[in-house]
Amino acid sequence: MKEKEQGQKASGSTRRKKSEAPPLPSQEDIARRAHEISVARGGEPGHELDDWLQAERELSAGSQ
């Protein structure tokens, strides 16, 4: 019985379950990417939300 319990602990404790979603990008990561998008666009004001949402989509797609 102890061998079986030890085997379960060793094999299942550090692995992520297949059904778990990957971690979402942090707000800091999103902000950094949104800034990069803004700079690439020429830094024109008024597109902050669009830049943020694009950064979210890009980073979320990359974490899947």
Side-chain angles (χ1 to χ4, degrees):
M1 178 83 165
K2 278 197 170 221
E3 289 178 30
K4 187 175 184 180
E5 289 174 354
Q6 289 175 347
Q8 288 175 346
K9 286 180 185 177
S11 65
S13 62
T14 58
R15 293 185 185 166
R16 186 171 60 199
K17 295 177 184 177
K18 289 183 181 181
S19 62
E20 288 182 22
L24 295 175
S26 69
Q27 287 192 351
E28 185 176 303
D29 292 336
I30 296 168
R32 187 177 302 114
R33 179 61 189 133
H35 177 73
E36 292 169 357
I37 292 167
S38 174
V39 169
R41 190 180 30 70
E44 182 183 330
H47 300 278
E48 293 82 5
L49 180 58
D50 293 331
D51 296 342
W52 182 274
L53 294 174
Q54 180 180 339
E56 255 184 341
R57 283 191 304 270
E58 289 178 9
L59 295 172
S60 294
S63 67
Q64 290 180 354

